[in-house]
Amino acid sequence: SLSPLNLFFQAMEREVSAAFDRGEPEDILSRAFKLTVTREDICTLQPLGWLNDRIMNFYMGLLVERSKKEGYPAVYAFNTFFYSKLSSASHKGVKKWTKGVDIFKHDVILVPIHLRTHWTLLVVDLREKTIKYFDSLGQRGDHICETVLKYLEEESREKRNIELTASEWTLHSMGTEEIPQQNNGNDCGVFVCKFADFISRDKPIIFTQEHMPYFRRKMVWEIIHQQLL
């Protein structure tokens, strides 16, 4: 039966296939958040592709955009270069990144992290005073949580002259039994995007590895249309 939903999915499938198959690598398929996404970038969303910084940052932009709507927690997302700069140059090195922004006025801060060949996600929940680390390969990131807490302390002191009380904060690396895990070497970027998607809606994380092929195709559509489904 060709319900409106089925017709929509068919159109979506055609569009996604066209994005992968036709045209030149440098064709621009989407532009927003001061980012330009080319066909070459979009092709990292093909099965087993490695998501690149542009795709990750664009998707984070979509999540932040959605969070401005009624009924969503207020979300701030750092870009994928923030954490490596912070860990090499401490607060001084990233002080200007939040110029004109009070990150403490948000509910949730997303920090996508690129560890050489692996994507992970750190989430600060300012409502709960928690810092949680999400790794779809199950590695712990306690030192990463600590680095970000130290950053928050310095940012708070510098930007609003308020001392954070570190002892009030809970830092936690999510265990393999708490969050879904990937069973290949390619899907970490998609896991990070979907962790961020569910968290930025205050939803429990219930997807699995099996959803990845669908999530990849959905993300192509969402990036091209600059809207989350």
Side-chain angles (χ1 to χ4, degrees), residues 8 11-21 29-31 37-47 49 51 55 58-59 62 190 193-194 212-229:
F8 172 75
M12 181 176 149
E13 280 300 322
R14 280 197 300 276
E15 223 173 327
V16 172
S17 299
F20 287 154
D21 301 336
L29 300 190
S30 199
R31 239 198 209 102
V37 173
T38 65
R39 189 178 309 278
E40 190 174 7
D41 298 324
I42 284 285
C43 282
T44 67
L45 282 160
Q46 284 177 311
L51 270 54
I55 294 293
F58 202 96
Y59 194 79
L62 291 174
V190 188
C193 288
K194 297 318 282 187
M212 292 300 130
Y214 166 65
F215 283 160
R216 283 174 174 270
R217 295 184 79 80
K218 186 170 152 205
M219 284 173 70
V220 172
W221 191 95
E222 290 172 326
I223 288 169
I224 290 173
H225 288 268
Q226 298 169 18
Q227 120 191 35
L228 294 165
L229 284 173

Side-chain angles (χ1 to χ4, degrees), residues 150-167:
K150 192 161 183 282
Y151 164 80
L152 292 173
E153 290 179 76
E154 295 181 29
E155 181 78 358
S156 180
R157 196 175 298 137
E158 192 124 326
K159 291 283 170 73
R160 45 178 208 163
N161 220 354
I162 295 175
E163 290 292 330
L164 283 194
T165 312
S167 60

